[in-house]
Amino acid sequence: MAEPLVPRRRSPAEGLLEGSRLRELSFLAQAELRVDPDEAEAASRMAEQFLGCPLPGPGRATGSGTPYVLWSGPGRYLVVDADATGRGLCAGLRSALGGEYGRLCAAVADLSAQRTVLELRGPDAGEVLARGCPMDLHPRVFGPGSYAQTVVGKAAVGLHRTGGPAGPGAPVGPGAEGEASAFRVLVRASFADYLARFLTGAADDVRRERAGAVG
């Protein structure tokens, strides 16, 4: 008897980004933490024991690999993990944050199915994003480890800078960010197709303008 066909899971931006410096990091586990202010100190300590990185301060991210944690607002954090399922990550967090007196000191919600993550890297990554983002993305202002909620084009996103120079010696000017420049853009699944096309078009525009300037 033939095996029944099981529908293949598709990511929100599948098929759009092959061969590009823009790629989708599909099917990442994403869990939101909402921490009770009275339990913030205990929650941070217990979360760090489980995740291997502390909960970040405002405008920051912590964790250099997987998992990592993004500050989403007062008492709110987003945990992202490539090596877990959303259900498994949430179960682990609930167990770790059980509270020192037998009750949860944070609310945990699985957001994995709601959004995806696009990664843009390369020397022009900041300039490409700037075509649709109102923030100052210069590495001296928005350096590695920074995270903010903003817009790119017409899409509301979370923007996480994961690489690039920073500090007093950072180079200045278009194309001066270096090959290490990298951003992760967290976007709702329903806007992933739009955002992938917007960023691909912005990258094409930047390349054409550079080529014209050289010519």
Side-chain angles (χ1 to χ4, degrees):
M1 181 176 176
E3 292 289 332
L5 293 176
V6 178
R8 186 174 65 84
R9 188 181 181 192
R10 293 178 59 87
S11 63
E14 183 175 327
L16 294 175
L17 306 174
E18 285 86 348
S20 173
R21 287 184 178 179
L22 176 67
R23 63 171 181 154
E24 182 183 18
L25 305 177
S26 54
F27 308 130
L28 299 183
Q30 300 178 56
E32 183 183 61
L33 297 183
R34 293 192 177 227
V35 178
D36 184 335
D38 295 333
E39 296 272 18
E41 184 177 344
S44 182
R45 183 175 64 254
M46 289 184 284
E48 182 173 2
Q49 291 174 353
F50 174 68
L51 297 169
C53 59
L55 298 181
R60 302 297 297 171
T62 53
S64 57
T66 181
Y68 58 91
V69 188
L70 307 168
W71 187 86
S72 298
R76 294 174 53 219
Y77 307 90
L78 183 67
V79 182
V80 184
D81 194 343
D83 296 333
T85 64
R87 183 178 299 177
L89 178 60
C90 288
L93 285 167
R94 291 190 183 101
S95 177
L97 297 169
E100 299 191 338
Y101 303 102
R103 66 183 181 88
L104 282 174
C105 58
V108 182
D110 185 1
L111 303 184
S112 307
Q114 295 184 12
R115 67 186 78 186
T116 191
V117 181
L118 304 181
E119 183 179 67
L120 178 65
R121 59 174 57 246
D124 300 328
E127 186 174 354
V128 170
L129 283 167
R131 297 297 171 107
C133 180
M135 291 177 54
D136 184 349
L137 300 177
H138 192 282
R140 288 177 181 165
V141 177
F142 193 74
S146 297
Y147 178 74
Q149 297 183 63
T150 182
V151 295
V152 176
K154 297 179 180 179
V157 304
L159 186 61
H160 175 203
R161 186 174 193 136
T162 59
V172 179
E177 296 178 359
E179 288 293 341
S181 292
F183 297 84
R184 289 183 178 177
V185 188
L186 291 81
V187 62
R188 286 189 174 274
S190 57
F191 277 86
D193 180 274
Y194 161 80
L195 185 61
R197 295 179 190 278
F198 179 91
L199 291 174
T200 299
D204 289 342
D205 289 344
V206 169
R207 282 194 292 268
R208 279 195 297 266
E209 290 172 13
R210 292 284 170 79
V214 172

